[in-house]
Amino acid sequence: MTVHPPTPFPKSSQDCVAFHRTELSVILSLYGRMVAAGEWRDYGISSLSDVAIFSVFRRTAENPLYRIEKRPALRTRQGQYSVVGMDGQILKRGHDLKTVLRVLERKLIRAVE
């Protein structure tokens, strides 16, 4: 009888989608500015088999205000990045993450009196 040592990390049958370091740096830069402005307070990251989601919360116990989603299956069609509002409506979709996140940067611009 042959005994095989257990593998420390069993290989999963499905790979999951995740944000790359450069994508996260762009998202976290915006997140830091919105936290400094007092708009956002918490975030959550989900890596699923077909989508990666960065959720933004005003308070910890609420539904997310916005979801920044990465869907590589839409890379050749509408663009793999999208910003989804609280009600599920897609606010912006595109191929470049920085241009998609501009819809959220408008929230920072306020009139100074």
Side-chain angles (χ1 to χ4, degrees):
M1 184 160 91
T2 309
V3 177
H4 296 285
T7 57
F9 300 105
K11 192 152 193 160
S12 65
S13 60
Q14 296 179 351
D15 292 332
C16 64
V17 177
F19 288 105
H20 191 265
R21 178 181 287 187
T22 55
E23 297 165 338
L24 272 178
S25 68
V26 171
I27 294 171
L28 289 174
S29 172
L30 172 65
Y31 176 77
R33 287 180 294 184
M34 295 298 266
V35 167
E39 295 290 323
W40 297 349
R41 299 204 193 282
D42 199 8
Y43 71 92
I45 299 177
S46 302
S47 295
L48 305 173
S49 62
D50 60 339
V51 63
I53 303 171
F54 187 94
S55 302
V56 177
F57 300 90
R58 182 163 302 194
R59 291 179 191 80
T60 306
E62 287 186 347
N63 291 331
L65 288 175
Y66 301 104
R67 292 188 328 254
I68 301 165
E69 297 183 353
K70 176 183 177 182
R71 294 182 185 267
L74 298 177
R75 180 183 305 135
T76 58
R77 292 182 219 132
Q78 303 142 339
Q80 66 179 343
Y81 303 108
S82 62
V83 175
V84 181
M86 183 187 292
D87 55 353
Q89 182 180 10
I90 296 176
L91 303 176
K92 182 87 170 169
R93 178 180 282 158
H95 298 282
D96 184 36
L97 182 60
K98 288 183 181 180
T99 57
V100 170
L101 292 179
R102 282 188 197 153
V103 73
L104 298 177
E105 288 180 358
R106 292 184 193 150
K107 308 286 184 189
L108 275 176
I109 301 171
R110 294 182 182 165
V112 177
E113 295 180 19

